Amino acid sequence: QSLVNANLIITVNSTVGVEALLLGKPVVLLGDSYFDKLYGVLSQEEGIRFASGQLDLDSDRIKLAISQFLDNCFIPIDYRRSEFRGVDGFDDFLEQLDS
């Protein structure tokens, strides 16, 4: 509930940042992250500008950037009871590695 009500999230390097971006909330990273180049991920200086109303961001664009990033960089896995039930897209992933 805190993420939903927040205007800006500050984290070192946490999946909370990903969750915030999925909600369209900008994130200030205090460390390096695999998602640190996405639209909506701010430096400390940009975070100050955003918090003071000097920087405007598009919430829908933030959501789109993180959604596309996750779709392009991760393989969805359905993991239940210590067994893999399905790994959607894994064959496509392996095919891309061969090309």
Side-chain angles (χ1 to χ4, degrees), residues 84-99:
F84 288 108
R85 299 285 183 191
V87 182
D88 296 329
F90 192 67
D91 291 336
D92 295 335
F93 173 75
L94 290 176
E95 190 174 297
Q96 289 177 356
L97 290 178
D98 288 337
S99 57

Side-chain angles (χ1 to χ4, degrees), residues 1-10 16 19-20 23 25-26:
Q1 190 65 5
S2 296
L3 286 179
V4 172
N5 294 324
N7 292 324
L8 176 69
I9 305 302
I10 302 172
V16 169
E19 293 177 41
L23 292 170
K25 309 291 182 170

Side-chain angles (χ1 to χ4, degrees), residues 37-48:
K37 303 292 187 242
L38 295 177
Y39 179 81
V41 179
L42 309 175
S43 67
Q44 292 178 42
E45 294 79 19
E46 291 169 327
I48 292 169

